């Protein structure tokens, strides 16, 4: 069934179709509609689930950890300050190997107070052990929630679904709502082998000495390696079931491109529009959209950037005193595999729009340079 | 959970659960060596009131044939049982004597 | 032999509590009342260590170790999952120290109490952050030495009245208890198990190293805390206050204080101050006690 809906409601519908059993959430702009719709759906008993209206995001994640440990499919959604407040428990969820799924609406971090988009909130959680899927359409958001549980429950690691504030969260698009029966067939109920169980009692997460701690970290890394395999497998399986495909990265006209723009989130759609315009003028430009931050798709990135003469990474985020964060990631994947010069541009922080012309200007600037003459370039900032 | 008193050793990574999950009871960890003083019960004066038993923080007093018996594998020698015995029939004696 | 508590042990020996640990008694007795159809979550606290290192545990019921400040919310999450899975008979318990309850976990505690989540919240109170080496907490009483309230600057603030804070949430059941009165604790838990909603159980649990007391005095101290009126033992059942361990004649606080090195530095006048504070507090509470 096709429906016009905002990104936030796509999340709620995704969670409903995934038959989540426990929801614990706390409101924050621009996430509120996610929980508002879900509380309505639960109250109307269109979804059989417990909804805990917690007193903070910290407790939201704590409740999800408790619920998931007890064997329920757990869900939450948040943004920026709320995500940061959860930080300790993000490590906990991953370290405890709980397949929790959370949506994060990318909002810039305060101060100063802001509600508009950039990626510093989710990227700051890079090393917590959560998978991160960056979406560019409301359809992808809905589909990703469903797919996320499939992958998470296979490898026992949590997933964060990431989408831009307002440009997705509050933007209405046509979304195909899959049939519940099809979703049920694709995503079986959560059957957690390690759940808290009075008939087979165990203790979880207890004190662990240096004799053992590292082995559990090896297992987390192995789970992430396995996750990449599963994600690729699910790209195919999901397409079979729903007719839509989501790969770890999405290349667009990269094969013969001299310059490839690497982007993520909604900026990727804008970049593709700019690529079309530039192609019309005979410029050999392509776009590589990054969907996965973790597990990082090393091989795909290397493959799709192997023919490029120049790589431009446009980051809607920054690691102060270093580069944009995607630039660090992509560069380190290329190191030792490619000598291609990599240019890093920082654009669109705190919700500043990124236009197709922005990409055209970036490409024009890079065309004049043989290699970067600065560590990073700020885009369209007041001088 | 297995009540096995044996210590557990994993040989290979594959044998470990994916997360830190207990496999055995702490009953595999005798704490008797913590003790400096050892409770000795004079059963002749004992009135079987179970007071010593109920206060032991280490669950180290068992009942055998209606008598309190100190489990010396685990008793840490805190002396609560002796202190609380209404008949004062538990004596704390120096270990090794 | 007629034991006053069930013989079955759900806490194994071999755990890592210090000699004479009051928190050990608190858990052992509570498990006897709660039974096997029970699940726990612990925050960071002494019990993180007492339980034993991987791959061991001294509990025979499921236990989820969790972050320091998250106890009540975690228990609420477990409970929601059990409800969703149709296993709503299982008793879900958070079990935290005083630091995890009075201080860092207070927000989550208040949230769960206000929502009236159907869980037990236990606070075993040893009146300081013992796991990290005896630092002051909001539960440390006036006059006490801790490593962050050295004798020259002993704690000048009164113990936070956590029971009143919880009572302000009008929860269906709350009680204080002392490890010196296991039958009283047992009875309360057996009764509360059948009450739906938030249940708060606050247990005074002496800590020999943290209180600089002799390990054999643990039960005696837990008894004196009650007999002096320093830690009155009562329940609030549906708003009704009932003193379950009566103290018609209260012993002087000095009897309690003098057994503990953490109060050794106190002058006579300090002890008199403490006696006055205890009297005032007791009188205030006494007015709330009903019936007999
Ligand atoms: C967020 C956080 N801050 C600090 C700590 C360190 N810490 C662990 S246990 C503890 C004190 C616990 O005190 P309490 O709750 O009274 O329990 P007790 O150790 O006395 O049994 C502290 C400060 C932590 N684990 N997490
Ligand atoms: S001395 Fe302490 S540990 Fe030993 S039996 Fe007596 S009470 Fe238990
Ligand atoms: S407390 Fe004393 S009298 Fe009572 S059972 Fe124990 S040893 Fe016997
Ligand atoms: S420090 Fe105190 S509370 Fe902690 S284990 Fe030792 S005696 Fe028990
Ligand atoms: Mg404490």
């Amino acid at each position: 069934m096709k429906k016009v809906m905002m990104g936030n409601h796509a999340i709620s519908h995704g969670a409903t179709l995934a038959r989540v059993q426990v929801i614990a959430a706390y409101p924050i702009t621009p996430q509120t509609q996610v929980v508002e719709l879900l509380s309505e759906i639960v109250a109307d008993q269109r979804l059989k689930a417990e909804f805990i209206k917690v007193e903070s995001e910290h407790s939201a994640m704590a409740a999800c950890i408790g619920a998931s440990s007890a064997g329920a499919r757990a869900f939450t959604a948040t943004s920026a300050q709320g995500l940061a407040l959860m930080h300790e428990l993000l490590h906990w969820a991953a370290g405890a190997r709980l397949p929790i799924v959370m949506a994060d609406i990318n909002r810039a971090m305060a101060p100063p107070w802001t509600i508009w988009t950039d990626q510093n909130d989710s990227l700051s959680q890079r090393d917590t052990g959560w998978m991160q899927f960056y979406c560019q359409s409301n359809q992808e958001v809905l589909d990703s929630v469903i797919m996320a549980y499939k992958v998470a429950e296979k490898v026992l690691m949590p997933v964060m679904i990431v989408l831009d504030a307002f440009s997705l969260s509050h933007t209405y698009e046509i979304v195909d709502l899959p049939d519940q029966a099809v979703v049920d067939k694709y995503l079986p109920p959560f059957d957690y082998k390690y759940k808290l169980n009075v008939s087979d009692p165990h203790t979880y997460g207890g004190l662990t000495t240096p004799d053992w701690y590292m082995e559990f970290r090896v297992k987390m890394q192995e789970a992430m390696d396995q996750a990449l395999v599963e994600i690729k497998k699910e790209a195919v399986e999901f397409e079979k079931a729903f007719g839509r495909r989501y790969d770890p990265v999405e290349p667009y006209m990269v094969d013969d491109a001299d310059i490839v723009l690497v982007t993520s989130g909604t900026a990727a759609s804008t970049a593709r529009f700019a690529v079309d315009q530039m192609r019309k003028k005979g410029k050999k430009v392509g776009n590589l959209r990054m969907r996965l931050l973790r597990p990082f798709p090393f091989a795909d990135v290397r493959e799709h950037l192997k023919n490029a003469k120049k790589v431009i990474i446009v980051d809607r985020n920054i690691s102060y005193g270093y580069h944009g964060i995607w630039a660090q990631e992509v560069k380190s994947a290329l190191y030792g595999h490619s000598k291609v010069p990599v240019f890093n541009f920082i654009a669109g922080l705190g919700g500043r729009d990124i236009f197709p012309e922005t990409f055209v200007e970036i490409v024009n600037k890079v065309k004049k340079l043989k290699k970067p003459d600065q560590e990073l370039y700020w885009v369209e900032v007041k001088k | 959970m297995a009540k096995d008193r044996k210590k557990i050793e994993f040989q290979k990574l594959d044998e470990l659960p994916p997360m830190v999950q207990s496999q055995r009871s702490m009953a595999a960890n005798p704490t008797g060596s913590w003790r400096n003083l050892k409770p000795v019960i004079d059963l002749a004066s004992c009135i079987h009131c179970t007071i010593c038993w109920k206060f032991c923080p280490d669950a180290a007093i068992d009942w055998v044939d209606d008598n309190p018996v100190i489990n010396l594998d685990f008793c840490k020698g805190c002396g609560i049982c002796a202190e609380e015995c209404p008949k004062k029939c538990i004596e704390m004696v120096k270990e090794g004597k | 032999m007629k034991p006053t508590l069930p013989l079955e042990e759900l806490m194994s020996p071999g755990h890592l509590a210090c000699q004479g640990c009051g928190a050990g008694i608190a858990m052992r007795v509570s498990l006897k009342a709660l039974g096997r159809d029970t699940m726990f979550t612990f925050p960071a606290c002494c019990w993180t260590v007492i339980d034993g290192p991987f791959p061991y545990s001294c509990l025979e019921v499921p236990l989820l170790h969790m972050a320091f400040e998250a106890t009540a919310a975690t228990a609420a999450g477990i409970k929601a999952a059990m409800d969703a899975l149709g296993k709503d008979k299982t008793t879900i318990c958070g079990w935290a120290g005083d630091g995890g309850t009075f201080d860092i976990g207070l927000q989550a505690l208040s949230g769960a109490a206000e929502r009236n989540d159907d869980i037990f919240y236990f606070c075993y109170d040893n009146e300081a952050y013992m796991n990290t080496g005896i630092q002051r907490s909001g539960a440390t009483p006036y006059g006490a030495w801790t490593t962050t309230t050295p004798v020259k600057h002993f704690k000048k603030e009164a113990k936070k009245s956590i029971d009143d804070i919880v009572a302000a949430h009008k929860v269906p059941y709350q009680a204080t208890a002392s490890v010196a009165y296991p039958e009283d604790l047992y009875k309360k838990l057996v009764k509360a198990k059948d009450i739906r909603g938030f249940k708060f159980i606050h247990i005074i649990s002496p800590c020999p190293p943290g209180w600089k007391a002799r390990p054999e005095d643990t039960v005696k101290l837990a008894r004196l805390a009650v007999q002096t009126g320093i830690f009155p033992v009562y329940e609030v059942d549906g708003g009704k206050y009932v003193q379950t361990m009566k103290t018609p004649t209260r012993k002087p606080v000095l009897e309690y204080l003098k057994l503990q090195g953490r109060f050794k530095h106190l002058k006579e006048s300090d002890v008199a101050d403490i006696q006055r504070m205890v009297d005032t507090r007791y009188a205030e509470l006494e007015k709330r006690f009903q019936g007999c």
Side-chain angles (χ1 to χ4, degrees):
Chain A
M1 187 189 20
K2 290 216 158 62
K3 259 185 115 167
V4 177
M5 68 176 79
M6 60 159 71
N8 279 344
H9 286 172
I11 300 170
S12 320
H13 286 297
T16 307
L17 286 163
R19 294 192 191 274
V20 300
Q21 292 162 302
V22 174
I23 303 161
Y26 190 80
I28 180 168
T29 305
Q31 154 268 32
T32 44
Q33 293 81 9
V34 181
V35 282
E36 286 165 4
L37 180 58
L38 274 173
S39 54
E40 209 178 293
I41 290 174
V42 172
D44 292 351
Q45 301 189 333
R46 280 185 278 158
L47 172 68
K48 210 176 148 274
E50 300 291 323
F51 195 139
I52 316 176
K53 284 139 197 177
V54 284
E55 80 299 332
S56 72
E57 288 87 351
H58 191 283
S59 284
M61 188 44 62
C64 284
I65 288 169
S68 186
S69 299
R73 196 169 273 165
F75 180 78
T76 188
T78 189
S79 185
Q81 313 301 124
L83 185 68
L85 185 61
M86 287 178 183
H87 178 71
E88 183 195 15
L89 299 187
L90 297 185
H91 281 280
W92 207 284
R97 306 293 302 273
L98 299 170
I100 298 165
V101 173
M102 161 166 67
D104 176 61
I105 326 293
N106 266 154
R107 157 178 155 179
M109 294 298 300
W113 279 120
T114 167
I115 52 170
W116 296 281
T117 200
D118 76 33
Q119 299 175 326
N120 258 74
D121 62 345
S122 54
L123 291 171
S124 300
Q125 307 302 338
R126 185 188 62 179
D127 302 333
T128 54
W130 282 64
M131 291 181 240
Q132 292 195 13
F133 300 177
Y134 286 76
C135 300
Q136 64 161 357
S137 73
N138 292 352
Q139 184 74 60
E140 184 180 358
V141 167
L142 184 145
D143 291 345
S144 292
V145 175
I146 297 165
M147 192 196 280
Y149 279 109
K150 185 87 174 267
V151 175
E153 289 168 11
K154 270 199 189 154
V155 303
L156 302 184
M157 293 294 274
V159 181
M160 197 185 296
I161 306 294
V162 188
L163 54 148
D164 295 342
F166 301 106
S167 40
L168 268 194
S169 67
H170 288 64
T171 301
Y172 282 76
E173 293 180 349
I174 298 172
V175 173
D176 180 31
L177 266 177
D179 277 352
Q180 184 69 60
V182 182
V183 177
D184 288 347
K185 202 164 153 235
Y186 173 80
L187 180 67
F190 178 37
D191 180 17
Y192 191 34
K193 190 173 159 204
Y194 301 96
K195 66 170 180 254
L196 300 169
N197 181 355
V198 291
S199 332
D200 180 23
H202 292 275
T203 285
Y204 294 91
L207 189 66
T208 299
T209 61
D211 277 350
W212 297 111
Y213 184 90
M214 228 169 131
E215 278 67 25
F216 289 102
R217 293 309 181 241
V218 171
K219 282 180 178 267
M220 284 171 77
Q221 177 72 357
E222 285 178 353
M224 278 299 205
D225 291 345
Q226 186 57 31
L228 193 55
V229 175
E230 296 295 340
I231 289 165
K232 289 184 179 184
K233 212 163 90 193
E234 289 311 322
V236 179
E237 292 301 311
F238 195 91
E239 189 180 20
K240 271 192 221 156
F242 303 98
R244 293 179 292 274
R245 189 183 168 104
Y246 303 100
D247 287 306
V249 299
E250 205 177 82
Y252 185 69
M253 297 191 171
V254 296
D255 291 343
D256 67 337
D258 293 334
I259 295 180
V260 176
L261 287 157
V262 180
T263 53
S264 57
T266 51
S269 344
T270 317
R272 273 203 306 276
F273 186 80
V275 165
D276 286 344
Q277 287 183 331
M278 289 185 274
R279 284 272 173 177
K280 269 184 213 147
K281 294 195 177 144
K283 292 185 198 162
K284 283 188 164 179
V285 184
N287 174 240
L288 185 67
R289 174 170 82 96
M290 301 298 299
R291 175 167 147 86
L292 286 194
L293 173 76
R294 288 291 179 276
F296 193 80
F298 292 103
D300 304 82
V301 168
R302 286 170 194 150
E303 172 63 23
H304 294 299
L305 295 181
K306 72 173 186 228
N307 297 334
K309 301 204 171 70
K310 285 171 187 172
V311 169
I312 302 171
I313 295 152
V314 182
D315 266 302
R316 202 167 210 169
N317 63 78
I318 181 165
S319 172
Y320 312 106
Y322 201 61
H323 294 145
I325 295 164
W326 287 106
Q328 301 169 28
E329 301 289 308
V330 172
K331 265 210 241 189
S332 91
L334 292 178
Y335 186 78
H337 293 261
S338 158
K339 292 213 162 62
V340 65
V342 176
F343 300 77
N344 186 199
F345 287 77
I346 308 291
L349 300 189
R352 186 165 296 185
D353 284 327
I354 303 178
F355 298 105
E357 302 79 64
T358 314
F359 288 108
V360 175
E361 268 168 47
I362 289 171
V363 169
N364 285 341
K365 181 173 179 113
V366 166
K367 280 194 129 185
K368 290 184 217 131
L369 297 165
K370 269 184 93 161
K371 58 184 176 66
D373 55 359
Q374 276 171 232
E375 289 298 338
L376 59 79
Y377 301 90
W378 289 94
V379 176
E380 292 163 2
V381 286
K382 296 169 188 73
K383 295 241 168 65
Chain B
M1 198 168 34
K3 254 203 159 171
D4 206 326
R5 290 207 169 170
K6 277 205 301 284
K7 289 247 177 199
I8 193 161
E9 291 299 335
F10 298 101
Q11 303 300 331
K12 289 210 219 86
L13 198 59
D14 284 354
E15 296 170 12
L16 282 172
M19 74 292 290
V20 167
Q21 181 202 43
S22 68
Q23 308 294 321
R24 283 278 194 282
S25 159
M26 279 298 273
N29 179 56
T31 46
S33 61
W34 296 27
R35 205 168 49 232
N36 293 317
L37 297 171
K38 170 166 84 178
V40 178
I41 305 179
D42 171 20
L43 285 176
S45 342
C46 172
I47 55 165
H48 315 278
C49 64
T50 74
I51 287 176
C52 53
W53 166 81
K54 80 176 176 195
F55 283 128
C56 177
D58 289 275
I61 303 181
D62 300 323
W63 286 93
V64 182
D65 301 332
D66 215 33
N67 289 320
V69 176
I70 309 287
N71 184 341
L72 291 172
D73 287 348
F74 295 104
C75 164
K76 291 175 186 159
C78 69
I80 290 178
C81 53
E83 192 70 29
E84 295 301 320
C85 171
K87 285 294 173 190
K88 293 282 164 244
C89 62
I90 304 179
E91 195 190 344
M92 299 302 289
V93 300
K94 263 224 158 71
E95 269 297 337
K97 284 221 169 134
Chain C
M1 165 288 266
K2 269 213 186 92
T4 50
L5 298 171
L7 282 177
E8 192 186 23
E9 301 290 351
L10 296 179
M11 180 190 93
S12 76
H15 63 62
L16 299 184
C18 313
Q19 287 147 319
C21 175
I25 306 176
M27 175 59 85
R28 194 176 152 232
V29 173
S30 299
L31 279 170
K32 285 174 184 289
L34 296 165
R36 286 192 185 271
D37 197 7
T38 303
M39 295 178 176
F40 276 91
T41 179
F42 293 176
C45 59
C46 268
W47 256 102
T48 311
V49 179
I50 299 173
D51 178 49
F54 173 81
Y56 303 99
S57 168
C58 73
L59 294 201
E60 302 220 354
V61 294
L63 160 62
L64 177 65
H65 285 283
M66 235 310 227
F68 193 15
E69 61 290 330
T71 312
T74 309
I78 298 174
K79 177 64 190 167
M82 296 304 278
D83 284 349
L85 298 169
K87 295 181 191 152
D88 55 342
K89 295 280 182 298
T90 303
T91 306
I92 309 302
C93 307
W95 178 275
D98 47 286
T101 303
F102 288 58
D103 298 340
I104 200 166
L106 185 61
Q107 173 180 318
L109 166 62
S110 173
E114 183 270 329
R115 291 189 304 270
N116 197 22
D117 289 330
D118 187 19
I119 55 171
F120 270 99
Y121 189 105
F122 287 90
C123 172
Y124 71 93
D125 184 0
N126 53 25
E127 304 197 313
Y129 300 156
M130 297 310 179
N131 173 290
T132 38
I134 328 176
Q135 294 83 21
R136 107 197 256 290
S137 79
T140 305
Y142 177 92
W145 160 91
T146 67
T147 55
T148 50
T149 49
V151 287
K152 276 197 203 148
H153 304 278
F154 61 75
K155 188 165 182 259
K156 295 287 166 28
E157 303 80 28
K159 184 182 178 95
K160 190 190 282 187
S161 185
I162 192 76
D163 305 300
D164 290 345
I165 293 173
V166 174
H169 293 73
K170 310 246 183 291
V171 299
Y173 187 84
Q174 74 182 92
T176 60
S178 158
V179 296
Y181 304 105
E183 294 84 0
D184 172 71
L185 170 60
Y186 178 86
K187 240 172 74 185
K188 285 170 174 163
L189 298 185
V190 168
K191 173 179 176 182
K193 240 174 35 155
D194 290 332
I195 298 174
R196 269 195 80 84
F198 196 82
K199 296 154 289 261
F200 182 72
I201 312 292
H202 180 192
I203 311 169
I204 186 79
S205 310
C207 163
W211 293 15
K212 296 190 174 216
R214 303 186 314 167
E216 65 265 40
D217 282 346
T218 287
V219 171
K220 191 186 288 176
L221 283 169
R223 192 180 299 118
L224 280 168
V226 180
Q227 291 172 336
T228 53
I230 286 174
F231 196 88
V233 165
Y234 60 95
E235 65 177 11
V236 191
D237 185 353
K240 191 174 155 205
Y241 279 74
V242 175
Q243 191 179 22
T244 54
M245 299 314 300
K246 301 253 184 303
T247 46
T249 49
R250 284 185 291 121
K251 291 188 173 166
V253 293
L254 184 61
E255 284 194 34
Y256 172 76
L257 302 178
K258 74 181 182 199
L259 294 176
Q260 303 173 56
R262 63 173 173 157
F263 296 116
K264 207 174 71 187
H265 51 277
L266 295 182
K267 295 196 286 289
E268 234 173 86
S269 59
D270 299 324
V271 173
D273 285 345
I274 293 175
Q275 185 67 60
R276 254 194 311 279
M277 289 180 222
V278 169
D279 290 346
T280 311
R281 163 88 189 129
Y282 191 85
E284 206 181 277
L285 200 57
E286 212 173 20
K287 281 186 225 146
R288 295 184 223 161
F289 293 143
Q290 303 170 12
C292 33

